[in-house]
Amino acid sequence: MAKKRILSGMRPTGKLHLGNLHGALENWVELQNNSDFERFYFVADWHALTSDYSDSSCIKENTTDMIINWLSVGLDPTRATMFIQSSIKEHAELFLILSMITPLSWLERNPTYKEMKTELADKDLSTFGFLGYPVLQAADIIMYKANGVPVGVDQLPHVELTREIARRFNFLYREVFPIPEPLLTNVPKLLGIDGRKMSKSYENSIYLTDRGNVLGEKIGSMFTDPQRMRKSDPGEPALCNVFAFHRIYSPPEEVDEISMECKRAGIGCVECKRRLADRISEKMKPVHDRQDYYRHHLKEVWEIIAEGNIRAGNIARMTMEEIRESIKI
Ligand code: TRP
Ligand code: SF4
């Protein structure tokens, strides 16, 4: 039996942060251990253009950076195909065809469309491409006949739309596409250093590349339990974002100890944050070492991408043949 396929992508709109790592990438890495699946992970650079069209100068650099970071956190080119959306021109053809069969109303009621327009209010997003964002995403997914799409909850509406579009194609022409399932990640709730959602537009992120002093200073400036003004006040770890990070980065005994000491005002926030910075540095050390390695071996990175593009392109060409036959064009 043919292997099931898993596919996911990310937009290269900026540096990756710890939210991306725990919210998505760790899951991608984890899925590599299941030999029932084939995996495809791609950089959605055309999708980056939907919001960054007026200044596209960083997309290319962000794309290479993104792949370097994927490799650094443990994506393995022998077990996952990594490729670049814009290198596989078939995505554009399928996007066009799907746009013919997608009712406008499906796109207009898409919740992320409305949300992103408000969130990115400084950009003019009243474009055809931005409204059609989920149609391109549907093309990305069904091109590879993906069965599973590992994403965060924020992407659920897009996967749902993909399912509807795939069903509609199958109904109108011929049963070509499996209906993909979202594979939700169990995301620990990690907030940015100011206590809001970690997002590069809020400038509150800890990046995968942050280390040394930069990392120490960011953690030093994190918001803590708002009720705890002085070191002599007892704190409440459950209300503290620093503690949420300790839960991920520190061993269980240390987490328990910090919780106890915080509640009885035995540890101060400065000390608590210093320990967190040490733990994150320790955990990220191998990632940072691999980042350094790949930055000095860019040729290797480009070869991995070229190889991935070839594998993805072969599948995309076959699917497009089938699609053209189905619609008799
Ligand atoms: N919309 C996704 C995001 O912003 C990126 C994306 C594009 C994607 N195409 C995809 C994710 C296909 C999964 C599958 O994160
Ligand atoms: Fe948060 Fe640590 Fe301060 Fe307690 S001691 S409030 S857990 S930073």
Side-chain angles (χ1 to χ4, degrees):
M1 209 186 83
K3 286 199 177 184
K4 298 219 161 195
R5 291 208 182 118
I6 281 182
L7 173 136
S8 197
M10 273 186 199
R11 300 189 315 138
T13 47
K15 295 202 269 189
L16 290 171
H17 52 61
L18 295 182
N20 302 127
L21 175 61
H22 302 296
L25 287 174
E26 276 184 343
N27 196 28
W28 293 12
V29 172
E30 180 65 32
L31 285 163
Q32 292 185 141
N33 298 325
N34 190 331
S35 56
D36 298 338
F37 295 122
E38 277 180 334
R39 291 147 288 260
F40 296 83
Y41 299 125
F42 74 100
V43 182
D45 53 349
W46 276 334
H47 272 115
L49 218 43
T50 57
S51 56
D52 294 4
Y53 62 87
S54 64
D55 179 7
S56 56
S57 57
C58 296
I59 296 179
K60 199 161 192 165
E61 196 184 320
N62 289 342
T63 298
T64 314
D65 271 3
M66 185 163 260
I67 298 276
I68 289 176
N69 275 297
W70 288 0
L71 294 167
S72 305
V73 299
L75 281 196
D76 169 1
T78 65
R79 287 181 290 166
T81 298
M82 289 170 246
F83 69 96
I84 314 294
Q85 184 185 40
S86 67
S87 299
I88 315 296
K89 309 301 179 195
E90 283 81 0
H91 287 230
E93 183 179 352
L94 184 51
F95 168 60
L96 179 143
I97 290 169
L98 297 181
S99 77
M100 302 297 171
I101 67 167
T102 305
L104 255 188
S105 59
W106 292 5
L107 300 175
E108 284 162 346
R109 67 163 191 244
N110 168 25
T112 52
Y113 175 66
K114 298 179 204 159
E115 254 165 52
M116 275 185 53
K117 267 185 109 160
T118 348
E119 200 172 310
L120 305 175
D122 54 325
K123 296 182 177 156
D124 181 2
L125 295 180
S126 336
T127 59
F128 174 56
F130 188 67
L131 180 66
Y133 184 113
V135 183
L136 180 56
Q137 183 158 348
D140 299 336
I141 296 172
I142 68 179
M143 180 72 86
Y144 301 91
K145 302 191 178 178
N147 308 93
V149 188
V151 285
V153 266
D154 62 306
Q155 291 296 312
L156 276 185
H158 290 162
V159 179
E160 190 47 51
L161 256 165
T162 300
R163 291 162 59 87
E164 290 183 60
I165 293 172
R167 279 196 207 99
R168 191 160 160 87
F169 185 100
N170 287 347
F171 168 76
L172 288 172
Y173 306 108
R174 172 152 47 105
E175 194 83 19
V176 175
F177 301 111
I179 308 301
E181 299 285 341
L183 304 176
L184 268 191
T185 318
N186 227 337
V187 196
K189 193 90 193 134
L190 270 195
L191 301 170
I193 57 179
D194 61 357
R196 293 188 290 170
K197 175 184 164 195
M198 196 181 284
S199 156
K200 83 180 161 357
S201 42
Y202 294 152
E203 292 179 8
N204 65 358
S205 303
I206 300 174
Y207 294 111
L208 293 192
T209 46
D210 288 346
R211 55 177 113 170
N213 291 342
V214 177
L215 183 63
E217 277 165 29
K218 280 195 181 173
I219 292 171
S221 71
M222 275 172 83
F223 287 23
T224 59
D225 171 5
Q227 308 284 319
R228 194 179 187 199
M229 299 303 223
R230 280 172 297 266
K231 191 180 162 193
S232 55
D233 298 336
E236 180 42 69
L239 302 176
C240 177
N241 190 28
V242 174
F243 188 70
F245 277 78
H246 268 296
R247 277 187 186 285
I248 295 181
Y249 289 98
S250 302
E253 319 81 68
E254 190 173 354
V255 174
D256 291 346
E257 181 213 329
I258 286 172
S259 170
M260 227 167 59
E261 292 300 316
C262 171
K263 285 183 187 158
R264 61 171 203 95
I267 181 177
C269 296
V270 174
E271 158 81 4
C272 184
K273 289 170 170 178
R274 203 188 42 72
R275 284 168 68 171
L276 176 64
D278 289 346
R279 288 300 183 194
I280 298 186
S281 296
E282 251 168 58
K283 276 264 166 75
M284 294 301 287
K285 170 87 169 55
V287 176
H288 292 147
D289 288 347
R290 283 192 291 262
Q291 283 170 357
D292 294 341
Y293 173 84
Y294 285 114
R295 280 196 203 296
H296 290 104
H297 295 82
L298 282 175
K299 205 167 148 253
E300 236 176 272
V301 177
W302 290 324
E303 279 165 12
I304 289 168
I305 297 174
E307 175 73 25
N309 284 342
I310 289 173
R311 274 190 286 190
N314 286 339
I315 297 174
R317 263 193 307 283
M318 287 194 307
T319 309
M320 279 318 301
E321 289 286 325
E322 214 179 329
I323 292 170
R324 291 181 205 120
E325 238 169 68
S326 311
I327 59 179
K328 304 193 170 59
I329 279 188

